[in-house]
Amino acid sequence: SGIVWLGTSEGLDRLDPATGKFAHYVHADNDPSSLSCNIVRSLYEDKTGTLWVGTGAEFDSKSKEGGLNKFNKEAGTFTRYVHDPNNPNSIIGNKVRALFEDSKGNFWVGTDSSGLHLMNREKGTFERLTYDPKHPEKLSSPPTKKKDDFHHITFITEDILGKIWIGTY
């Protein structure tokens, strides 16, 4: 569509090159349809044209801010997906860095806390792919050391043979 998106530590900016005008999107405490966090870490436009925004302060282990945001282009609002300790179908961590749609239409989300997920975009739910030492051959987030606050999925991509590659920190 020719729109330029810029993610910053102060929110999300949309530049319309035809008009030269910017729209600025930020988090508002009293507005659940606003961006979930001002620190934008990743942007991804899926095959349907939906813009996904990953947020959260990467190296601030005390902050629980962040989340995945789905942008509604018509309304200029966001649907937030954040960690809910009481919901096993929510994302594991709120610091979202890796977003990827593979050739089969699977939507992958990588977060802190070794959070590797497959998202069901129709239902807004997440399948957590956690490490199981009894089955190390299964696709999962990698094993981590206890008390390591900075274990993040940094990228997810697919090679020409259809194999999924996952980068970690």
Side-chain angles (χ1 to χ4, degrees):
S1 64
I3 299 300
V4 177
W5 292 96
L6 303 163
T8 73
S9 61
E10 297 180 16
L12 178 67
D13 294 306
R14 176 189 182 274
L15 170 64
D16 183 341
T19 64
K21 294 188 179 183
F22 276 95
H24 186 62
Y25 301 93
V26 295
H27 171 77
D29 287 336
N30 59 349
D31 184 358
S33 68
S34 70
L35 200 59
S36 64
C37 174
N38 284 334
I39 300 170
V40 176
R41 299 186 61 214
S42 55
L43 298 171
Y44 192 88
E45 186 175 7
D46 70 17
K47 293 173 185 166
T48 68
T50 300
L51 181 68
W52 297 89
V53 183
T55 65
E58 181 174 13
F59 294 113
D60 182 353
S61 63
K62 293 180 179 136
S63 172
K64 301 300 178 200
E65 288 183 320
L68 177 64
N69 300 265
K70 178 182 176 182
F71 184 64
N72 179 321
K73 292 179 183 179
E74 289 76 36
T77 58
F78 297 89
T79 300
R80 298 176 183 176
Y81 301 93
V82 296
H83 174 67
D84 177 351
N86 298 315
N87 181 354
N89 294 313
S90 70
I91 56 177
I92 290 174
N94 281 331
K95 298 167 186 178
V96 179
R97 180 167 173 184
L99 301 169
F100 182 70
E101 182 177 20
D102 68 24
S103 62
K104 296 176 183 164
N106 296 311
F107 193 67
W108 298 85
V109 179
T111 70
D112 64 324
S113 302
S114 291
L116 179 63
H117 313 79
L118 282 170
M119 182 181 188
N120 180 324
R121 290 173 279 184
E122 291 177 12
K123 295 180 180 177
T125 59
F126 298 84
E127 177 187 352
R128 298 174 177 179
L129 302 169
T130 55
Y131 180 71
D132 180 353
K134 294 178 184 173
H135 296 283
E137 76 283 357
K138 290 175 61 178
L139 179 63
S140 70
S141 58
T144 58
K145 298 174 188 170
K146 291 187 184 226
K147 297 188 180 190
D148 181 359
D149 290 333
F150 301 113
H151 43 278
H152 296 249
I153 304 297
T154 57
F155 74 84
I156 305 166
T157 193
E158 180 178 18
D159 68 20
I160 195 165
L161 300 174
K163 296 193 186 306
I164 299 297
W165 291 84
I166 301 159
T168 63
Y169 177 88

